[in-house]
Amino acid sequence: MDDKSSSSHHRLLVVLLMVLLFGVIMIQYVCPSKSECQMLHQLGTWFKDGAATGSPRGGDQIQDGLQKDPYIAEDGALVRFVPRFNFTDVDLNRAVDFNIKGDDVIVFLHIQKTGGTTFGRHLVRNIQLERPCECHAGQKKCTCFRPGKKETWLFSRFSTGWSCGLHADWTELTSCVPSRMDSREAPVDLPRNYYYITILRDPVSRYLSEWRHVQRGATWRASLHVCDGRSPTLSELPSCYPGDDWSGCSLQEFMDCPYNLANNRQTRMLADLSLVGCYNVSTMNEDERWALLVESAKRNLRGMAFFGLTEYQRKTQYLFERTFNLEFIAPFTQLNGTRASGVDVPDETQRRILRLNRWDLELYEYARDLFLQRFQVARQQERRRARARRQQERRRRLLRGRLVAKPGRQLKPTDAPRPPPSRSVVAEEEQLRGKAGAGGEASEVLLPDWWDLEENGTMEDYMDNVEQWK
């Protein structure tokens, strides 16, 4: 009898545990609002926290019984971010009236080793468009025409090729793009609106990534570096290596070259080089020169329609979509494993890299602060709009309830009960949570093989892309 009784108790416990598990799962469907079912959600939290014990990712997906905000789950920046710089409302509220059917053009300034190749592919292959870009296998460029016109709306490596030179900088693009577009497109009554965009990256990671890229034999010798109408002379911009490339160079050799354009590359490529005599370094001392360049880069960055950061992929996607009123098909993914992250660098070497890139560090901290402030402002505005819509919907429901309660009053057709707002409210909340779902991994869309192709930017790539686009 004792054995039978013990076996019966065990079966009963198993049944109770299964019922409890089923009940916790149903909580999320029967009662999605935490405020309306406080006790049930607390129970769900306890159970899931216990179930997540021993799982390295269990706590990353759930917070207070609800899914975490994906933007916080991405990098935690919203939790620990404290603004350092004061920006104007114009600086923080970036939304442009981009008209893809008109004469507006997005110009992508592609800085080496910032993840610009991946972002460039997003632009031509991953945006929901009335007329998607035509990309064919084996071709490095896509055709990105406006709806109903044979005119391009995107000036980038993957749409028009390196039409202003390989990895053209701010100085080159702003002087080249308008004339280039006017010579290739139909004449317009009013000047075109050019919306410049770019991607920045942590300077140390970017620098190490460029060294590894150069070490494997890549060069950017085809870059024109045009400034004030001409390219620099060999005396103004000497080469760091005598042969065809710098393959096999050590990190020490890479750092030792005083003419290496990898040093503070992001600052140089975003600044107006005409302010300092272009590549003629004899016009002023080095500190004065770089101080002018970094202030120019900050000013240009503030004025750009959009810039993103490699370290914040989801936020980059969100701000681009909000700025241009365009949506991506597949969500951006945060890739933490790169060649640069796998480099074991001694502390002293790291300190030297920081010294060599001090102006890029200053620019990046400034850009990061501006980027995260823009993101916070955009999210606050979106939450306020969603809250206002919910309050308006509640007032409408309350008013309908009062009208129905009056005796003898017939409902007019316009007073007929409307569908419950729960679906729209849930949809709004899902949109605020980032469209891609919470945390991210389960909702990520697998991207095709071409997405992981390595950035090149070599002479061969330049020659394949530099021809006139048709």
Side-chain angles (χ1 to χ4, degrees), residues 264 348 350-359 361:
N264 298 300
E348 179 56 37
Q350 290 188 36
R351 286 191 289 270
R352 187 177 178 195
I353 294 174
L354 291 173
R355 290 194 299 270
L356 289 171
N357 293 275
R358 58 173 287 203
W359 303 105
L361 287 168

Side-chain angles (χ1 to χ4, degrees), residues 102-344:
D103 298 309
D104 297 349
V105 180
I106 294 176
V107 182
F108 181 33
L109 193 163
H110 185 172
I111 302 174
Q112 292 95 317
K113 311 314 295 179
T114 59
T117 295
T118 297
F119 185 77
R121 290 189 179 114
H122 277 301
L123 293 177
V124 297
R125 298 176 182 260
N126 192 29
I127 298 181
Q128 295 181 9
L129 297 171
E130 179 181 336
R131 183 179 183 179
C133 296
E134 297 179 10
C135 303
H136 302 288
Q139 296 183 2
K140 293 187 177 181
K141 292 187 296 183
C142 303
T143 301
C144 296
F145 284 152
R146 308 179 192 278
K149 299 180 181 179
K150 287 191 174 182
E151 299 175 359
T152 188
W153 57 269
L154 176 65
F155 196 101
S156 75
R157 163 189 176 179
F158 289 118
S159 57
T160 58
W162 301 113
S163 300
C164 287
L166 182 64
H167 287 289
D169 55 36
W170 171 269
T171 308
E172 292 176 286
L173 285 176
T174 53
S175 62
C176 166
V177 170
S179 60
R180 192 77 172 144
M181 289 293 298
D182 289 342
S183 66
R184 292 294 166 186
E185 304 286 3
V188 295
D189 296 332
L190 298 174
R192 293 183 177 87
N193 294 318
Y194 295 103
Y195 297 106
Y196 288 83
I197 64 174
T198 194
I199 301 292
L200 277 72
R201 185 181 182 183
D202 168 74
V204 175
S205 297
R206 199 214 65 80
Y207 188 83
L208 290 171
S209 182
E210 180 166 338
W211 162 60
R212 293 295 299 270
H213 196 57
V214 169
Q215 191 183 48
R216 295 191 300 274
T219 71
W220 290 288
R221 281 194 163 187
S223 296
L224 302 177
H225 303 304
V226 174
C227 178
D228 286 349
R230 68 176 184 87
S231 295
T233 64
L234 188 60
S235 61
E236 290 175 329
L237 188 61
S239 177
C240 285
Y241 49 91
D244 293 333
D245 58 45
W246 208 2
S247 58
C249 73
S250 67
L251 180 56
Q252 188 67 38
E253 291 172 328
F254 193 74
M255 293 188 296
D256 285 344
C257 177
Y259 318 111
N260 194 345
L261 292 180
N263 301 339
N264 298 300
R265 182 181 287 279
Q266 296 178 103
T267 299
R268 181 185 57 80
M269 291 191 69
L270 290 176
D272 182 359
L273 299 179
S274 300
L275 298 174
V276 294
C278 298
Y279 291 89
N280 182 3
V281 297
S282 64
T283 58
M284 60 187 71
N285 67 63
E286 184 177 4
D287 285 345
E288 182 183 2
R289 173 185 175 85
W290 280 107
L292 285 173
L293 287 176
V294 76
E295 289 305 316
S296 175
K298 291 176 182 177
R299 183 166 56 252
N300 292 336
L301 196 68
R302 285 198 311 272
M304 279 186 168
F306 162 83
F307 72 89
L309 299 180
T310 309
E311 290 74 22
Y312 303 95
Q313 289 294 308
R314 289 287 180 85
K315 295 179 180 65
T316 293
Q317 175 183 353
Y318 175 86
L319 286 178
F320 180 90
E321 291 178 333
R322 187 178 184 278
T323 299
F324 289 99
N325 196 27
L326 296 171
E327 292 188 1
F328 290 99
I329 301 168
F332 289 15
T333 55
Q334 188 69 52
L335 301 177
N336 295 318
T338 63
R339 289 187 175 90
S341 63
V343 178
D344 186 13

Side-chain angles (χ1 to χ4, degrees), residues 2-38:
D2 291 341
D3 292 340
K4 291 182 179 180
S5 176
S6 176
S7 177
S8 176
H9 288 158
H10 287 159
R11 285 196 296 272
L12 180 61
L13 286 174
V14 170
V15 171
L16 289 175
L17 286 174
M18 292 179 65
V19 170
L20 179 60
L21 177 61
F22 179 78
V24 169
I25 295 173
M26 290 303 296
I27 286 174
Q28 309 301 322
Y29 296 93
V30 176
C31 187
S33 173
K34 180 181 176 184
S35 60
E36 295 173 1
C37 304
Q38 184 92 18

Side-chain angles (χ1 to χ4, degrees), residues 141 157 160-166 180 184 222 224 459-469:
K141 292 187 296 183
R157 163 189 176 179
T160 58
W162 301 113
S163 300
C164 287
L166 182 64
R180 192 77 172 144
R184 292 294 166 186
L224 302 177
M459 174 68 82
E460 178 184 357
D461 178 61
Y462 172 73
M463 296 306 295
D464 287 342
N465 282 280
V466 76
E467 71 266 14
Q468 317 288 349
W469 81 86

